[in-house]
């Protein structure tokens, strides 16, 4: 082992569909591997001689998952980070150029300076459920496009083709949803969480499944942390005497989208969310502000229920208290 290898190094990995660009900081070793099982195995073997403190990988449309899982299984601490964080870090240090090699170095430097929290290794069933949820989301998007097209179709053979396509997509969606439910039913913890979540007015099968798959931290964090994680926590924008508008940003977009749809329903059928929405609307708050506050309130309610293992009850004192009607 060389002197440089005895240092604790931070590894940055820039992920593309076909290639992994790797940088070891502070030893400044640059490596390239194919983003394939063989290439990832070679990467793991190449890192073994080093004292690796943390591996930082940028989340890039699921292309990073295979490498991250292999590194976790090999015993490395891996942090899968939002691309915005290392990019903002690069700008703050005056590094404006952007190539795959530079991005890998920035990820390594970001990991060494900021020290992002290591990502918890997901169970195999968690990965499967996550893929099923993502596939269902794709099918819903494709169905929406096909249904819009069939409304505009005049040519009869084309209309018939779109009809067949919609029917096939609907069958796939039903099959995916059945597989998700079967997977949840086989897991005692997931089954309990699913029943607690779906007991809340406004939270249906799709939302509950998405939360189980993509927000495993629900019920394990406090209300402030879970709101920040999802991206529904109000961010201040004040300077001197100026008090700017609060806004939400970042977080897990797919979870936030699912929560948004659930909140639309909850504004009608959930008494707590309905009362909060009515109060804010009466105060002249814009629709987006009302929705953000209601999404946050619904998320906090779900987080509290899972933390206390308590199903929804409209008679619950916490839900009927004046504090329950305040944005969380």
């Amino acid at each position: 082992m060389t002197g440089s290898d005895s240092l604790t190094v931070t590894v940055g990995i820039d992920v593309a569909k076909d290639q992994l660009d790797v940088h070891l900081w502070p030893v400044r070793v640059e490596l390239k591997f194919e983003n394939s099982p063989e290439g990832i195995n070679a990467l793991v073997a190449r890192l073994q001689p080093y004292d690796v403190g943390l591996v930082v990988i940028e989340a890039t449309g699921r292309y990073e998952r295979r490498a991250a899982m292999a590194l976790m299984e090999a015993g490395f601490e891996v942090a899968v980070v939002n691309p915005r964080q290392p990019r903002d870090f690069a700008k703050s240090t005056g590094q404006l150029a952007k190539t795959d090699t530079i991005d890998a170095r920035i990820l390594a430097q970001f990991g060494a300076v900021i020290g992002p929290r290591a990502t918890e290794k997901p169970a195999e069933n968690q990965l499967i459920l996550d893929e099923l949820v993502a596939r269902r989301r794709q099918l819903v998007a494709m169905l929406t496009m096909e249904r819009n097209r069939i409304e505009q179709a005049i040519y009869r053979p084309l209309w018939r083709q779109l009809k067949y396509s919609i029917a096939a997509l609907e069958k796939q969606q039903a099959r995916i949803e059945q597989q998700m439910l079967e997977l949840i039913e086989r897991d005692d913890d997931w089954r309990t969480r699913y029943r607690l979540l779906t007991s809340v007015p406004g939270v249906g099968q799709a939302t509950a499944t998405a939360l189980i798959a993509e927000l495993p931290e629900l019920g394990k964090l406090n209300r402030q942390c879970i709101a920040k994680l999802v991206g529904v926590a109000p961010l201040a924008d004040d300077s001197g005497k100026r008090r700017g508008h609060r806004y939400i940003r970042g977080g897990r977009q797919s979870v936030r989208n699912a929560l948004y749809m659930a909140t639309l329903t909850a504004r009608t059928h959930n008494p707590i969310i309905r009362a909060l929405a009515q109060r804010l609307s009466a105060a002249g708050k814009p629709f987006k502000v009302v929705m953000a506050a209601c999404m946050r309130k619904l998320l906090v309610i779900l987080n509290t229920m899972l933390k206390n293992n308590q199903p929804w009850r409209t008679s619950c004192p916490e839900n009927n208290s004046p504090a329950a009607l305040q944005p969380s």
Side-chain angles (χ1 to χ4, degrees), residues 2-77:
T2 67
S4 62
D5 290 343
S6 63
L7 293 172
T8 298
V9 302
T10 304
V11 180
I13 302 179
D14 182 75
V15 180
K17 180 180 179 181
D18 300 316
Q19 181 172 290
L20 303 173
D21 284 85
V22 183
H23 187 96
L24 279 63
W25 183 266
V27 295
R28 295 179 179 271
V29 175
E30 294 180 354
L31 306 166
K32 291 182 183 292
F33 299 92
E34 290 184 359
N35 191 2
S36 64
E38 296 78 14
I40 292 170
N41 290 337
L43 166 63
V44 172
R46 185 67 177 82
L47 294 181
Q48 292 293 351
Y50 291 91
D51 178 15
V52 177
L54 183 68
V55 180
V56 182
I57 301 180
E58 195 174 70
T60 52
R62 296 176 177 267
Y63 289 124
E64 81 286 347
R65 295 180 67 181
R66 187 162 49 190
M69 284 297 298
L71 289 163
M72 289 178 185
E73 290 173 357
F76 294 100
E77 292 285 314

Side-chain angles (χ1 to χ4, degrees), residues 62 131 133-143 145 169:
R62 296 176 177 267
E131 288 194 358
V133 168
R135 179 56 182 165
R136 181 191 179 277
R137 190 178 296 119
Q138 294 165 358
L139 290 169
V140 169
M142 288 189 287
L143 272 168
M145 290 187 288
L169 290 172

Side-chain angles (χ1 to χ4, degrees), residues 242-272:
R242 182 182 68 86
R243 181 176 171 83
H245 294 291
R246 271 47 183 166
Y247 62 96
I248 60 174
R249 182 184 179 188
R252 298 182 184 174
Q253 183 177 354
S254 59
V255 175
R256 196 164 58 251
N257 290 344
L259 194 62
Y260 181 90
M261 299 306 296
T263 303
L264 284 176
T265 304
R267 286 189 61 174
T268 301
H269 301 287
N270 188 305
I272 301 301

Side-chain angles (χ1 to χ4, degrees), residues 16-297:
K17 180 180 179 181
D18 300 316
Q19 181 172 290
L20 303 173
D21 284 85
V22 183
H23 187 96
L24 279 63
W25 183 266
V27 295
R28 295 179 179 271
V29 175
E30 294 180 354
L31 306 166
K32 291 182 183 292
F33 299 92
E34 290 184 359
N35 191 2
S36 64
E38 296 78 14
I40 292 170
N41 290 337
L43 166 63
V44 172
R46 185 67 177 82
L47 294 181
Q48 292 293 351
Y50 291 91
D51 178 15
V52 177
L54 183 68
V55 180
V56 182
I57 301 180
E58 195 174 70
T60 52
R62 296 176 177 267
Y63 289 124
E64 81 286 347
R65 295 180 67 181
R66 187 162 49 190
M69 284 297 298
L71 289 163
M72 289 178 185
E73 290 173 357
F76 294 100
E77 292 285 314
V78 179
V80 181
V81 300
N82 188 308
R84 184 187 300 112
Q85 296 174 306
R87 182 43 38 192
D88 289 345
F89 171 80
K91 292 177 181 178
S92 71
T93 57
Q95 302 179 80
L96 304 182
K98 190 179 189 309
T99 67
D100 293 341
T101 301
I102 292 174
D103 286 349
R105 186 184 74 239
I106 289 171
L107 284 166
Q109 293 173 336
F110 170 78
V113 175
I114 304 300
R117 184 180 64 180
T119 303
E120 183 179 348
K121 180 184 175 183
E124 182 179 355
N125 281 349
Q126 186 81 41
L127 292 173
I128 295 173
L129 184 62
D130 184 54
E131 288 194 358
L132 290 174
V133 168
R135 179 56 182 165
R136 181 191 179 277
R137 190 178 296 119
Q138 294 165 358
L139 290 169
V140 169
M142 288 189 287
L143 272 168
T144 300
M145 290 187 288
E146 291 292 75
R147 286 166 179 160
N148 289 338
R149 293 183 184 111
I150 200 170
E151 290 179 359
Q152 303 169 13
I154 299 175
Y155 185 49
R156 190 68 182 179
L158 178 59
W159 182 91
R160 191 177 300 113
Q161 186 182 79
L162 288 168
K163 194 74 173 177
Y164 291 152
S165 175
I166 290 172
L169 290 172
E170 287 175 340
K171 287 181 180 179
Q172 289 185 49
Q173 180 181 338
R175 191 178 306 118
I176 289 288
E177 290 174 349
Q178 182 61 35
Q179 290 172 341
M180 291 190 299
L181 288 177
E182 291 173 355
L183 198 61
I184 289 172
E185 281 296 320
R186 290 199 297 266
D187 187 291
D188 292 339
D189 179 56
W190 283 356
R191 184 168 61 250
T192 300
R193 293 167 70 86
Y194 179 84
R195 290 173 181 171
L196 290 175
L197 291 171
T198 53
S199 71
V200 179
V203 179
Q205 172 188 332
T207 302
T209 306
L211 290 174
I212 292 171
E214 300 175 326
L215 192 63
E217 299 89 348
L218 190 63
K220 302 175 183 177
L221 303 177
N222 62 38
R223 59 198 295 165
Q224 292 85 6
C225 290
I226 200 68
K228 288 180 181 179
L229 187 62
V230 175
V232 293
L235 303 177
D237 185 21
D238 301 337
S239 179
K241 295 182 179 180
R242 182 182 68 86
R243 181 176 171 83
H245 294 291
R246 271 47 183 166
Y247 62 96
I248 60 174
R249 182 184 179 188
R252 298 182 184 174
Q253 183 177 354
S254 59
V255 175
R256 196 164 58 251
N257 290 344
L259 194 62
Y260 181 90
M261 299 306 296
T263 303
L264 284 176
T265 304
R267 286 189 61 174
T268 301
H269 301 287
N270 188 305
I272 301 301
I273 304 303
R274 182 173 63 244
L276 175 60
Q278 290 173 348
R279 183 178 65 79
L280 294 176
S281 297
K285 300 296 182 181
F287 176 79
K288 287 185 177 180
V289 173
V290 175
M291 283 300 296
C294 290
M295 288 167 63
R296 188 166 63 254
K297 171 57 67 178

